[in-house]
Amino acid sequence: MSGRTLFQRLSEDPRVIHDAWHEVNRNARSLSHGIDEVRLNDYSAHAQTRLAKLRLKIKNGTFQFKELRAAVIPKEGGEYRALQVATIDDRVVQKAIEMLIRKHLNNKYNLFNNPVSYAFIRTEDIDNYDERNPQTYKGVRGAIEKLKNYSQQGFTWCLKADIVNFFPSINTEKLLKTLVFPALPDQTINELITSAFKQEVQISEATRKVLSPEQLEAYSDHNGLPQGSILSPLFSNVYLSSFDKNLSDRGFIVIRYVDDFLVMTKSKEDAKKAYSIAKDELKELGLKLYSIGHKKSSIQETSEVTFLGVRLYQGNFFPSEKVFTKMMTKLAEYPKYKTLTKNFQSVQMLVSSWAATYYFCSNDTAEYIRVNKALKDAVMRTLYKSRLKPLNNLGSRELRRLGIYQFDNAIVTYKDRK
């Protein structure tokens, strides 16, 4: 396959599109859909035919990305995270593009072995990964391990910061023309990549009511990276690669997970300096930091910090009280679907996601009693609404018969599989 252009590989090699579909099908929510209302189950039923037609459209130049569907995810404080959901066809094409260009972007910007960045990096991409050494991990676990390691080396203060309105604030023209395209071996899919960020967004009236004026403006001005796009995670790390390098070159210990980051220091004064420098570096990228004192930016001792929903206490990791509360709020929404099966699948997806995120934390806390009770209550309400006789004693065994694990049991099972 060497010597072929990126476009030729995308349009002529069926394995590229098929591998992309496999990844989309494996990672996407089964209930998610774009403006065409086609869900994963529907797509899967005729996947081979759909993929063949899709590749033909790419090859003959008739493929075009469709409008995006606006969606929201509730956040704390009554706010909402605005997402832009593509059709499955579009997701497959974006995934295929991502698979073709990720190694070229990594070669240029050292994305996967960047000692600062911890989000959106697969284990197989890490050069020095060692399952026995948590210091080589990425993801939430790797970020928290680095926090623990340096806090034990005398870095007892930190700047905890968050970039304001990160994804919508990214200058996509600068990103593509000065960072992404120069790193690619040819220009044959540049136009296709550009078009992936020029789509209109279809907003329902219900969604429009909960969006802020800034979010509505971001939907209409075609700037920024769409949250929900398959290309956005990779490109966001490219955009911040200079920020990561420049802070590291100044001698700072930085831990960044997307737009949340810590700068670990040995004094409060150094943490203040780190804020000023980070603010200036981000200004060069057209980005802003929340001011110190805002709930999303602070200077504090590492012994008191909670990062990525995890708190470090006496050398051990614990999910924060906040993430427990957030999970119980989500469980209180059930039943939220019409069928028993969809409700139970969705609940178990919450539990599985929790286990995959917090498997390395202690599960021996009183909070697990509370969240397991909220889980059981959600199942009981769902059974009752479905006019099925609720179980008098809904223990872990009965839950498993319904395809649902308690949170602490899910963590044990995840560890065993891992």
Side-chain angles (χ1 to χ4, degrees), residues 4-255:
R4 288 193 171 188
T5 66
L6 292 172
F7 180 78
Q8 287 172 329
R9 293 178 63 193
L10 178 65
S11 61
E12 296 176 5
D13 185 352
R15 292 173 298 180
V16 173
I17 289 293
H18 279 266
D19 289 348
W21 156 243
H22 175 75
E23 289 298 310
V24 169
N25 189 35
R26 185 167 65 91
N27 295 311
R29 293 188 174 190
S30 60
L31 301 177
S32 67
H33 61 87
I35 62 167
D36 59 0
E37 297 287 334
V38 177
R39 290 168 168 78
L40 282 174
N41 291 340
D42 305 324
Y43 200 97
S44 298
H46 307 284
Q48 299 308 314
T49 301
R50 289 179 181 272
L51 295 174
K53 290 181 178 179
L54 179 60
R55 189 164 60 86
L56 183 60
K57 285 182 180 180
I58 296 170
K59 188 174 183 178
N60 62 28
T62 60
F63 172 80
Q64 290 184 327
F65 289 107
K66 293 184 175 64
E67 286 184 315
L68 299 164
R69 178 177 66 87
V72 293
I73 296 177
K75 297 168 61 179
E76 60 179 305
E79 298 177 346
Y80 291 85
R81 174 174 286 111
L83 301 179
Q84 301 174 39
V85 184
T87 65
I88 296 175
D89 265 353
D90 289 4
R91 281 181 252 173
V92 170
V93 174
Q94 286 194 23
K95 187 63 185 179
I97 292 171
E98 191 255 9
M99 292 168 67
L100 286 173
I101 69 175
R102 58 187 284 114
K103 75 171 185 178
H104 299 291
L105 294 176
N106 177 59
N107 291 341
K108 177 78 171 177
Y109 302 109
N110 190 35
L111 301 177
F112 307 145
N113 296 288
N114 178 348
V116 169
S117 178
Y118 282 82
F120 312 132
I121 300 172
R122 305 176 306 186
T123 297
E124 56 265 34
D125 289 327
I126 305 169
D127 287 345
N128 65 338
Y129 176 75
D130 182 352
E131 186 177 2
R132 299 163 297 179
N133 181 8
Q135 293 303 314
T136 66
Y137 291 4
K138 291 292 185 177
V140 174
R141 171 77 185 273
I144 300 302
E145 288 285 355
K146 185 172 181 177
L147 167 60
K148 176 183 176 180
N149 182 37
Y150 279 95
S151 66
Q152 292 173 341
Q153 295 182 39
F155 290 81
T156 55
W157 285 88
C158 69
L159 162 68
K160 179 183 176 183
D162 191 353
I163 301 172
V164 178
N165 207 26
F166 174 53
F167 283 96
S169 299
I170 291 175
N171 185 326
T172 49
E173 183 176 1
K174 177 179 180 179
L175 165 70
L176 297 178
K177 289 185 177 180
T178 67
L179 296 171
V180 173
F181 295 158
L184 302 185
D186 58 64
Q187 301 178 4
T188 55
I189 60 172
N190 288 12
E191 187 175 337
L192 185 61
I193 294 173
T194 301
S195 68
F197 299 106
K198 298 296 183 183
Q199 300 146 283
E200 298 291 334
V201 182
Q202 192 177 100
I203 312 173
S204 69
E205 283 305 311
T207 300
R208 189 179 296 274
K209 288 179 181 178
V210 301
L211 292 172
S212 69
E214 293 78 14
Q215 288 171 323
L216 286 170
E217 183 180 354
Y219 275 149
S220 62
D221 66 8
H222 300 298
N223 198 24
L225 291 178
Q227 290 198 65
S229 165
I230 284 176
L231 288 170
S232 292
L234 178 66
F235 285 1
S236 68
N237 275 340
V238 169
Y239 200 67
L240 288 177
S241 59
S242 63
F243 170 79
D244 297 342
K245 184 178 185 303
N246 291 343
L247 259 66
S248 294
D249 288 348
R250 287 175 175 264
F252 288 111
I253 304 301
V254 188
I255 310 170

